[in-house]
Amino acid sequence: MTPATSLTGPRPRHLLDFQGWTPERLNALLDNADTMAQVLDRPVKKVPALQGLTVCTAFFENSTRTRTSFELAARRMSADVMTFAAGSSSVSKGESLRDTMEVLTAYKVDAYIVRHHAAGAAHLVARYSGKPVINAGDGRRAHPTQALLDAYTIRQEYGSLEGKRVAIIGDVRHSRVARSNAELLPKLGAEVVLCGPATLLPRDLAALPGVTVTSDPREAVRGAHAVMALRLQQERMNGGFLASLQEYADTYQVNEALMQHAESGAIVLHPGPMNRDLEISSDAADGKRSRILKQVENGQAVRMSVLYHLLVGRE
Amino acid sequence: MSAPKATILTADEVRRAMTRIAHEIIERNKGAENLALIGIHTRGIPLAERLAAKLSELEGVDIPTGMLDITLYRDDLSEVAHQPIIRETQVPFDLGQRRVILVDDVLYTGRTVRAALDALIDLGRPVGIQLAVLVDRGHRELPIRADYVGKNLPTASSEVVKVKLHETDGVDSVELWDLEDLK
């Protein structure tokens, strides 16, 4: 475990994206995730750090693994968890997000974990809630805890992100995971290469510091220490983005043949859920390079650390 | 420049106090078999290591040591600091077979020890737990007492006991300060 350092500067109130999060603070958060991972390895997988606090998971968009991961993380820290699912709430009757948040606030919630199909929704909740908000995915914009667990998984492998090359391949256009990773990983010293067919590769992302884009997957993985396949969001493929799924798989699938062009010990990541044999082959998903299940496992420890950072300590 | 009101223990006196505690541990436990020492961050850790070395020297057995961070178990997490730092917990042996001696530098309100007991019990179920401290300064807020005390030191709430150890501070001493002089 990296020795803890004292943190300087104001503590961010929310985790909406990585604005206001310094590399020092992000590294401290990942250091503390080591401690949380140790807690999860013990017979008693729970600490009382958030005892007495109530965390609300407000999911306006379907999700099982992210919501479950957050709920378990909060419970492992001894928080009470209130689950709010938009599908079975007054939102489906036309209630506005603002009104919904005011109702939830009346229940004395101490923090919100928000997923929404609209970019910026988590920012809106942060404005109305008066309490810390964690963005669990808003539209195509950001999914910061996924990026943190990706960074943590890579760091676990190599000890540091400094000087590492991470190739992110697939449907970059629709991926909040890719955007959050493109924002986070360079802050921690890594180089990010975004790769996909031109129709799914917004070139403006190349303006981000430490980020390059290419449509050539071999070029993307050359020298890469980690290769992340993105889910091809088939539900958003009605805009004529691809000629055919087979053609996409033939060119952009992350498989053992493509991984031969990466660093010899390079690892394979995927934020899930996977379309097997489309954006990733089974040999890559299940092979010895794969850290996909490790990502899932690490998600809980990282989210415990995020809750700790936002909810513990003097205001 | 401000100075301590008094030096309570010199380096020699710290050494003698630790030796005396080691003898008391052996006497009470009828030897040192199946003992383990766990230091509470920060200065409890070197004190635990010193006690383990002394016990090994006296009894000829290896005594495993560990380190415990109690941050996640504190009852004042919302007040203690702007962002409480978590440090390492490492207990690389099976607690179930051991009588554990928790070690800390100063026993004051008892809240740190309460948190340490909770943290320790979450790691396993020791045969028993005892408490060793270099200084007991009183002012308990919980019904907790130490089994081994290097120095009983009645203090006022307006005073601060500063333990310095070679491993963390480059020198061994126990000093009594006025809180005002440290501000």
Side-chain angles (χ1 to χ4, degrees), chain A residues 1 4-7 9-11 25 32 35-36 38-39 42-44 46-49 308-309 312-314, chain B residues 69 71-74 77-90 114 118-119 121-124:
Chain A
M1 190 173 120
T5 53
S6 61
L7 296 171
R11 181 172 62 161
R25 195 168 285 277
N32 282 348
T35 304
M36 303 309 178
Q38 284 175 4
V39 169
R42 294 180 346 198
V44 179
K46 195 163 184 160
V47 290
Y308 178 84
H309 269 258
V312 165
R314 277 198 310 264
Chain B
D69 179 59
T71 308
L72 293 169
Y73 289 82
R74 292 183 72 124
L77 260 177
S78 59
E79 298 149 28
V80 68
H82 183 59
Q83 182 80 78
I85 298 293
I86 307 174
R87 292 156 300 181
E88 194 166 9
T89 288
Q90 203 178 81
R114 197 280 308 160
D118 282 351
I121 287 165
D122 275 0
L123 295 174

Side-chain angles (χ1 to χ4, degrees), chain A residues 32-275:
Chain A
N32 282 348
D34 282 338
T35 304
M36 303 309 178
Q38 284 175 4
V39 169
L40 296 174
D41 274 340
R42 294 180 346 198
V44 179
K45 300 172 185 57
K46 195 163 184 160
V47 290
L50 301 186
Q51 199 162 33
L53 300 182
T54 303
V55 171
C56 175
T57 55
F59 275 56
F60 298 86
E61 186 184 72
N62 288 338
S63 161
T64 304
R65 68 180 71 202
T66 304
R67 184 174 54 77
T68 308
S69 175
F70 266 117
E71 287 180 7
L72 266 177
R75 290 196 172 103
R76 305 285 198 206
M77 303 285 284
S78 298
D80 291 314
V81 177
M82 186 172 89
T83 303
F84 169 80
S88 55
S89 76
S90 293
V91 173
S92 60
K93 300 175 189 171
E95 186 175 71
S96 73
L97 179 59
R98 180 178 180 168
D99 287 338
T100 301
M101 292 316 301
E102 281 174 356
V103 170
L104 293 176
T105 301
Y107 291 134
K108 312 281 185 212
V109 167
D110 296 292
Y112 294 92
I113 297 159
V114 179
R115 169 169 284 199
H116 203 285
H117 51 80
H123 285 79
L124 197 67
V125 173
R127 195 186 309 160
Y128 294 134
S129 68
K131 298 290 180 185
V133 174
I134 299 168
N135 185 359
D138 61 335
R140 301 177 194 177
R141 209 187 66 84
H143 194 352
T145 56
Q146 177 68 44
L148 281 168
L149 76 88
D150 294 337
Y152 182 71
T153 306
I154 299 167
R155 198 180 86 148
Q156 206 168 45
E157 199 69 30
Y158 296 104
S160 163
L161 272 292
E162 200 66 49
K164 299 295 172 292
R165 179 176 164 97
V166 181
I168 301 176
I169 300 176
D171 181 2
V172 176
R173 172 183 290 274
H174 298 110
S175 176
R176 52 196 174 205
V177 174
R179 282 171 195 274
S180 280
N181 270 303
E183 190 185 357
L184 173 67
L185 297 180
K187 276 194 178 217
L188 299 173
E191 173 198 356
V192 171
V193 187
L194 300 172
C195 175
T199 49
L200 295 177
L201 189 63
R203 296 273 161 180
D204 61 307
L205 291 178
L208 293 171
V211 176
T212 54
V213 300
T214 175
S215 283
D216 179 349
R218 286 187 180 191
E219 182 191 326
V221 303
R222 196 168 298 130
H225 300 85
V227 177
M228 183 188 302
L230 296 173
R231 185 171 74 87
L232 188 67
Q233 302 194 24
Q234 295 179 69
E235 68 274 21
R236 290 170 171 153
M237 285 302 140
N238 52 5
F241 292 110
L242 296 174
S244 79
L245 294 180
Q246 188 57 52
E247 191 181 316
Y248 174 84
D250 288 346
T251 310
Y252 291 100
Q253 184 183 86
V254 172
N255 52 33
E256 266 307 311
L258 182 64
M259 290 303 293
Q260 295 306 313
H261 299 274
E263 284 286 292
S264 59
I267 58 171
V268 169
L269 304 172
H270 192 299
M274 289 185 283
N275 296 305

